[in-house]
Amino acid sequence: DIQMTQSPSTLSASIGDRVTITCRASQSISRWLAWYQQKPGTAPKLLIYRASILENGVPSRFIGSGSGTEFTLTISSLQPDDFATYYCQQYSSYLMYSFGQGTRLELK
Amino acid sequence: QVQLVQSGAEVKKPGASVKVSCRASGYSFIDYYIYWLRQAPGQGPEWMAWINPDSGDTHHAQKFQGRVSVTRDSSINTAEMEMSGLRSDDTAVYYCARGLVSAQFSGNADYFPYWGQGTPVIVSS
């Protein structure tokens, strides 16, 4: 199974800050990586797929990059609506999908 | 617009079974795979299984094989997930989700733009 490890687990930041979340895969997944945002009591919301492609309607301040085993999600200028938990998901095989444990982004 | 509407919250005793339904609308139900995932408190989502609503083919994560059954009723655009032998660590929110891979193709992995609202399942004696 492919393990996904995110860092940090918690990130404290202020409005306007640039923040970066890292996701590492236990083996190469090419660019088969998605990022989701989740707020309490709601389902995850897709932000980015294929490592760097923005889902329709997602603000351009969300930037995904990486390939192979190391990926990042950057928010270029934090807005109040961005405080949430973020998850990465690998989809390199239709037989097994896995997610990171999450990064909680909180207001400093 | 694509909508996935799940059944309501469940409270079960250890050893019992639970069935969660997922009714799809806004697209042709048989055209896209349905995925089942769960999320325990404070944890990331965990993929459980998928079903091809057209063929009925299914595939489960190894840890759920033999304990989880996923089915569909195309006449009512509904997929169901049943889990047996519930334990306290099965307490979670259970989600159905839909991707973009056509059910006409096999072997293509997917991500999940569409999710149901989630069904809390509490397992407690």
Side-chain angles (χ1 to χ4, degrees):
Chain A
D1 289 6
I2 299 174
Q3 310 301 320
M4 306 302 292
T5 304
Q6 288 182 232
S7 60
S9 297
T10 306
L11 184 55
S12 299
S14 302
I15 301 296
D17 283 355
R18 180 183 180 92
V19 298
T20 296
I21 298 167
T22 298
C23 176
R24 288 186 173 86
S26 61
Q27 65 189 71
S28 178
I29 57 171
S30 185
R31 294 176 60 82
W32 304 116
L33 186 100
W35 288 97
Y36 299 82
Q37 177 193 68
Q38 188 177 32
K39 296 183 178 179
T42 68
K45 172 190 171 185
L46 177 69
L47 299 175
I48 286 169
Y49 60 95
R50 195 103 46 109
S52 62
I53 302 175
L54 220 55
E55 174 71 343
N56 288 341
V58 174
S60 59
R61 63 181 180 271
F62 291 92
I63 303 161
S65 67
S67 65
T69 61
E70 186 150 337
F71 302 85
T72 58
L73 172 67
T74 297
I75 308 174
S76 60
S77 177
L78 272 176
Q79 300 302 302
D81 191 50
D82 299 339
F83 293 96
T85 301
Y86 293 84
Y87 296 99
C88 59
Q89 175 225 338
Q90 69 81 18
Y91 57 104
S92 63
S93 167
Y94 75 109
L95 297 177
M96 203 280 295
Y97 300 91
S98 50
F99 290 77
Q101 81 282 11
T103 294
R104 180 170 165 255
L105 179 55
E106 62 178 25
L107 184 60
K108 185 186 289 184
Chain B
Q1 72 282 20
V2 174
Q3 278 197 306
L4 301 171
V5 178
Q6 299 182 221
S7 49
E10 302 270 8
V11 179
K12 296 291 183 180
K13 294 195 182 302
S17 297
V18 69
K19 184 177 283 190
V20 179
S21 68
C22 171
R23 188 180 77 249
S25 62
Y27 72 100
S28 175
F29 177 68
I30 62 170
D31 283 354
Y32 297 95
Y33 289 80
I34 290 286
Y35 301 84
W36 287 94
L37 307 96
R38 73 179 185 180
Q39 188 171 28
Q43 305 296 313
E46 178 179 28
W47 170 74
M48 300 173 65
W50 55 250
I51 184 167
N52 180 322
D54 188 24
S55 66
D57 288 346
T58 62
H59 181 71
H60 301 71
Q62 190 168 6
K63 72 178 286 185
F64 297 109
Q65 285 177 3
R67 206 160 69 94
V68 168
S69 171
V70 292
T71 56
R72 93 297 191 203
D73 184 341
S74 301
S75 69
I76 55 170
N77 295 344
T78 298
E80 290 187 327
M81 185 282 299
E82 183 171 21
M83 179 180 281
S84 61
L86 288 169
R87 307 183 291 254
S88 58
D89 62 357
D90 292 318
T91 292
V93 178
Y94 288 75
Y95 291 100
C96 61
R98 202 211 88 176
L100 298 177
V101 171
S102 169
Q104 300 307 307
F105 301 109
S106 63
N108 293 320
D110 215 343
Y111 52 91
F112 313 127
Y114 306 106
W115 295 68
Q117 82 277 18
T119 297
V121 174
I122 297 172
V123 183
S124 173
S125 54

